[in-house]
Amino acid sequence: MSELIIKMDYIEQFIEHLWIEQGLSENTLSSYKTDLKKFNDWLLLNKKILSDVESQDIQQYLSWRHKNNLSARSTARFLSTVRRFYQYCIQQNLISYDPSVNIISPKLGKSLPHSLTESDTELLLSMPDQDSSIGIRDKAMIELMYSSGLRVTELISIEMSQISLRQGVVRIVGKGNKERLVPMGEMALTAVEYYLSHARLEFLKNQSNDILFLSSRGQQMTRQTFWYRVKFYASQAGIKKHLSPHTLRHAFATHLLNHGADLRTLQMLLGHSDLSTTQIYTYVAKERLKQLHQEHHPRG
């Protein structure tokens, strides 16, 4: 049994199980696989295998991670992964003891998402060249991401059948294959309509493809390519702040809260299954208020 469990294809079976049973995204599954492979590699160096792990082995690995300055957040993700792995092993009667049961997760501070001010966002949105097909496409993508609060993966995966220009909504398939309808907003709707009428056919190159936003080769754009485009326009705009692939999504959420949106509505728009995930944006709004007070109040 031990010989079987250590094989990397067994980890593949676990990952496949997660995909079939829970429909997790490729990025999430890739993270799980990476965590397990790194743990497995560490175990091999210490003459251990996954099926014979004891609680003290996991504790020693956590200590090794700490000594190597790996973040508490990535360690918490590792523990979530390894717990699910051993729960799966228990369910499959491969082991009789779960070594991760009594392991305590590291405490995480509140990690506030990086966002953009409204003026910075407006500047970024004005950068794409509307005299080129690429600029027209990029403008539509950035406008839609900011207007609807989409994840990057959601944005690049939109198919033609998922948008309704007449109703001004887009049907998004999010994490766990959960669907939600999100309003596009007037500016985003205008930009998408312009892209469809002035640029998309050029990207198609007489091919057939249902993906809304196409690469220069007429294929679905990658996350990396889109993120490169955003960084390019941020550089053009002179924006020096730290940006992440979800900066525009964070800006969408923060700006809505600043203008009076309630958390429940924001939760639905973002596609969060748990309201606690959405609440992080209240801290962003509070930090912004503190900053404004310090900058402009005579006794700040």
Side-chain angles (χ1 to χ4, degrees):
M1 188 67 67
S2 297
E3 295 296 328
L4 175 64
I5 293 179
I6 189 134
K7 291 181 179 179
M8 288 307 297
D9 63 352
Y10 188 80
I11 294 178
E12 294 285 356
Q13 291 173 33
F14 167 66
I15 297 299
E16 184 176 351
H17 164 79
L18 289 180
W19 178 74
I20 293 173
E21 295 295 324
Q22 300 185 31
L24 300 180
S25 70
E26 289 187 11
N27 293 326
T28 301
L29 294 174
S30 177
S31 296
Y32 280 18
K33 182 177 179 180
T34 298
D35 284 340
L36 284 174
K37 184 181 183 302
K38 287 181 177 179
F39 183 43
N40 185 61
D41 291 343
W42 182 87
L43 288 171
L44 289 175
L45 290 174
N46 290 274
K47 299 182 174 18
K48 282 272 190 174
I49 55 177
L50 287 170
S51 62
D52 294 335
V53 165
E54 299 177 1
S55 294
Q56 64 184 28
D57 297 314
I58 299 179
Q59 292 285 14
Q60 289 174 6
Y61 181 63
L62 295 180
S63 176
W64 176 85
R65 291 178 62 89
H66 179 71
K67 290 178 181 177
N68 285 272
N69 297 317
L70 296 174
S71 72
R73 188 163 299 277
S74 67
T75 296
R77 188 193 69 190
F78 159 74
L79 282 176
S80 174
T81 301
V82 82
R83 285 188 179 116
R84 297 180 84 157
F85 175 75
Y86 284 118
Q87 286 169 7
Y88 174 75
C89 290
I90 291 284
Q91 291 168 3
Q92 299 297 315
N93 295 317
L94 296 166
I95 58 175
S96 58
Y97 162 71
D98 182 349
S100 67
V101 168
N102 296 317
I103 303 297
I104 300 175
S105 297
K107 290 185 177 180
L108 300 177
K110 285 185 170 62
S111 178
L112 301 183
H114 295 281
S115 184
L116 294 173
T117 64
E118 293 183 36
S119 58
D120 280 342
T121 305
E122 290 293 337
L123 186 59
L124 178 67
L125 292 169
S126 70
M127 287 297 106
D129 179 10
Q130 295 302 277
D131 291 326
S132 73
S133 296
I134 290 178
I136 293 171
R137 178 203 63 195
D138 293 349
K139 168 80 168 176
M141 294 184 76
I142 297 172
E143 284 279 6
L144 183 56
M145 188 175 191
Y146 172 61
S147 174
S148 302
L150 307 183
R151 301 177 177 94
V152 177
T153 300
E154 293 171 346
L155 178 70
I156 64 173
S157 302
I158 296 174
E159 297 183 358
M160 293 293 292
S161 60
Q162 292 175 232
I163 62 170
S164 172
L165 299 179
R166 182 175 62 83
Q167 296 180 343
V169 297
V170 56
R171 177 172 54 84
I172 295 299
V173 181
K175 289 185 176 180
N177 285 328
K178 294 180 181 178
E179 292 189 1
R180 68 185 190 277
L181 277 179
V182 184
M184 297 171 66
E186 186 176 341
M187 299 298 289
L189 179 60
T190 299
V192 171
E193 287 179 327
Y194 194 74
Y195 161 72
L196 290 173
S197 60
H198 288 78
R200 188 172 184 274
L201 284 177
E202 182 174 329
F203 290 113
L204 268 178
K205 303 181 185 302
N206 297 318
Q207 303 177 66
S208 176
N209 197 316
D210 291 331
I211 292 295
L212 173 60
F213 296 114
L214 300 171
S215 69
S216 57
R217 296 182 178 180
Q219 303 298 316
Q220 179 176 338
M221 188 181 297
T222 65
R223 288 166 47 91
Q224 291 79 8
T225 297
F226 173 72
W227 180 228
Y228 171 81
R229 301 303 301 166
V230 172
K231 289 196 295 184
F232 170 74
Y233 294 122
S235 176
Q236 279 194 326
I239 297 174
K240 305 295 184 182
K241 298 176 182 177
H242 173 80
L243 301 179
S244 77
H246 287 315
T247 293
L248 287 168
R249 175 172 161 88
H250 298 325
F252 160 85
T254 306
H255 298 169
L256 274 182
L257 273 182
N258 288 343
H259 286 275
D262 63 272
L263 277 178
R264 286 292 180 186
T265 300
L266 189 58
Q267 178 189 6
M268 293 174 59
L269 292 173
L270 291 171
H272 287 161
S273 57
D274 192 330
L275 185 62
S276 63
T277 307
T278 315
Q279 286 176 327
I280 188 67
Y281 292 104
T282 64
Y283 294 97
V284 178
K286 287 178 182 177
E287 289 300 313
R288 176 61 177 159
L289 287 175
K290 287 181 184 178
Q291 180 183 346
L292 289 173
H293 183 273
Q294 291 173 353
E295 290 177 357
H296 301 291
H297 194 279
R299 295 186 182 276

